[in-house]
Amino acid sequence: TATDGRNGIEMFSKDHFDIVITDRAMPGLSGDHVAKEIKRINPNVPIIMLTGFGHIMKDSHQHPHGVDLIVNKPITREALREALAKAVAHKRH
């Protein structure tokens, strides 16, 4: 778990992660920027954006570069499991 976007990128660059879940609105760096930077480091890691802005983003056809899947908050455990499976399956193709 990272404290903010900069910390997340720093952690990602020093370790191995199978998947990244980010918010869109965060202090310091937005999730859009985090996703773009993480994909620059490793283009193969799946990135889920878990956000309260998901419906707005989908309605206005916004899909930040590097984000594989946008999921709305609040989220249930079952919806999170489904999102994780979908993001991982998407990367296998």
Side-chain angles (χ1 to χ4, degrees):
T1 302
T3 56
D4 59 31
R6 288 186 205 287
N7 180 239
I9 292 169
E10 181 181 315
M11 290 173 61
F12 187 84
S13 66
K14 294 180 181 177
D15 206 345
H16 171 80
F17 293 87
D18 295 320
I19 195 163
V20 172
I21 301 174
T22 186
D23 197 349
R24 187 170 208 194
M26 298 185 295
L29 294 177
S30 71
D32 297 31
H33 185 85
V34 170
K36 184 177 177 181
E37 183 64 18
I38 285 176
K39 287 293 186 170
R40 187 188 66 73
I41 297 167
N42 180 351
N44 297 316
V45 68
I47 298 178
I48 295 173
M49 182 170 279
L50 180 60
T51 178
F53 301 107
H55 293 298
I56 295 168
M57 292 171 70
K58 287 178 185 176
D59 290 347
S60 61
H61 306 288
Q62 295 178 39
H63 198 102
H65 177 76
V67 173
D68 297 296
L69 186 64
I70 298 169
V71 180
N72 297 312
K73 285 183 194 176
I75 190 166
T76 64
R77 281 186 223 176
E78 183 59 31
L80 180 58
R81 276 193 286 272
E82 288 174 17
L84 290 167
K86 189 174 184 179
V88 170
H90 172 17
K91 283 317 220 182
R92 288 185 189 146
H93 294 110

